[in-house]
Amino acid sequence: MELIHVDGKDAGTITLYALSTCGHCKRTRQFLNELGVAYDYIEVDLLHGEAFDEAYNLVKKYNPHGSFPTLVIGSEETVIVGDRLKEIRAAIGK
Amino acid sequence: MVTRFDVERRYLALKKDAEQAGYFLNPDEDFTKELVHGLLVNEDRYGFASCPCRLCVGPREVNLDIICPCDYRDSDLAEYGTCYCALYVSGEIAEGKRQVEPIPDRRGPVPSECLTAQQKAGAPAASAPAVPGPLPYPVFRCRVCGYLCARDEPPEKCPICGAEKDRFEKFMG
């Protein structure tokens, strides 16, 4: 399972689990880009086999509903499900 | 490869169908076209237009409920004013009086047995309720729009919403 890294200012570990076809996931990525923070993302619908299982099991670990986008922020692993941009800004600004 | 022309054509078709049937597409046109793009990508990839915002694993038979319009659209429109992906919204949201908020997914996570190459068939449909006496015909229900018909087999396509035959469930009889 390989995460794709996006450069930016360091705001701790930020990982976005997304679907390549999902408008809400795209909006979340655009928002992270606008914030200018460094983050990693992965598009789970493009994975196969073990890489898929590994990524989706992680998504369900953080978000038992297994839905997208699932964003995991910081060492405390704050989880935000859906494109809740205000919450994302608040969690990253901490 | 999905082109802008494909997206435009499908968007206009969906908009026309929605308006004729009393539904509304999301007024955020750029966002809505992103969703339509996702639908078309899924159609190419899986052979059916599964929801762009849900994970699709396995064949059509186990994903019938998330083929757009999904089985959950009407319930979500009634409760939240938007379907899960927000392609369809309520009149209030379409008019800009209310904003779309993220909503929970009525469909649970992809079952773990789907996560291996071995695909299992979907959960059996709930059995049709008992009726007082024998019916001359069974009654079928379209899971997308709720249309009911009493006949030997469901129609090839729902005459109301156009859903395919396999989106029907036996309702009575």
Side-chain angles (χ1 to χ4, degrees), chain B residues 23-27 77 81-83 86-95 100:
Chain B
Y23 289 94
F24 302 93
L25 291 192
N26 191 322
L77 282 174
T82 170
C83 72
L87 178 64
Y88 293 96
V89 297
S90 65
E92 214 184 348
I93 289 179
E95 288 169 21
V100 171

Side-chain angles (χ1 to χ4, degrees), chain A residues 47-84:
Chain A
L47 304 175
H48 298 282
E50 279 180 23
F52 171 86
D53 287 4
E54 189 188 343
Y56 192 50
N57 285 329
L58 266 177
V59 173
K60 284 191 293 185
K61 182 186 127 189
Y62 292 115
N63 163 18
H65 218 87
S67 58
F68 299 87
T70 292
L71 186 64
V72 185
I73 300 171
S75 53
E76 289 169 25
E77 299 193 325
T78 304
V79 178
I80 297 176
V81 177
D83 51 351
R84 301 174 189 278

Side-chain angles (χ1 to χ4, degrees), chain B residues 7-19 25:
Chain B
V7 171
E8 202 61 39
R9 196 168 51 177
R10 187 63 162 264
Y11 171 77
L12 291 174
L14 285 169
K15 194 166 157 61
K16 186 169 160 239
D17 286 351
E19 281 165 5
L25 291 192

Side-chain angles (χ1 to χ4, degrees), chain A residues 21 24 26 45 53 56 65, chain B residues 34 45 52 85 105 110 115:
Chain A
T21 51
H24 304 273
K26 193 162 280 180
D45 58 318
D53 287 4
Y56 192 50
H65 218 87
Chain B
E34 283 290 347
R45 193 190 289 168
C85 74
D105 189 358
V110 176
L115 299 183

Side-chain angles (χ1 to χ4, degrees), chain A:
Chain A
M1 189 190 89
E2 269 184 47
L3 298 169
I4 299 164
H5 183 71
V6 177
D7 272 333
K9 59 181 184 247
D10 181 18
T13 310
I14 300 172
T15 311
L16 174 66
Y17 298 89
L19 298 178
S20 68
T21 51
C22 169
H24 304 273
C25 297
K26 193 162 280 180
R27 188 181 267 170
T28 304
R29 267 188 59 199
Q30 277 167 356
F31 187 67
L32 292 173
N33 293 342
E34 282 164 26
L35 290 178
V37 293
Y39 67 95
D40 293 294
Y41 75 94
I42 190 158
E43 292 176 322
V44 179
D45 58 318
L46 301 181
L47 304 175
H48 298 282
E50 279 180 23
F52 171 86
D53 287 4
E54 189 188 343
Y56 192 50
N57 285 329
L58 266 177
V59 173
K60 284 191 293 185
K61 182 186 127 189
Y62 292 115
N63 163 18
H65 218 87
S67 58
F68 299 87
T70 292
L71 186 64
V72 185
I73 300 171
S75 53
E76 289 169 25
E77 299 193 325
T78 304
V79 178
I80 297 176
V81 177
D83 51 351
R84 301 174 189 278
L85 306 185
K86 281 183 198 159
E87 285 179 37
I88 295 171
R89 185 195 293 276
I92 288 176
K94 266 195 283 194

Side-chain angles (χ1 to χ4, degrees), chain B residues 23 51 54 65 70-86 88-90 93 98 101 103-107:
Chain B
Y23 289 94
C51 176
R54 289 178 167 115
D65 59 325
C70 67
D71 287 8
Y72 316 104
R73 174 184 63 172
D74 288 1
S75 305
D76 283 336
L77 282 174
E79 188 169 350
Y80 303 107
T82 170
C83 72
Y84 179 67
C85 74
Y88 293 96
V89 297
S90 65
I93 289 179
R98 232 179 92 192
E101 296 283 340
I103 68 167
D105 189 358
R106 279 173 206 272
R107 190 197 215 215

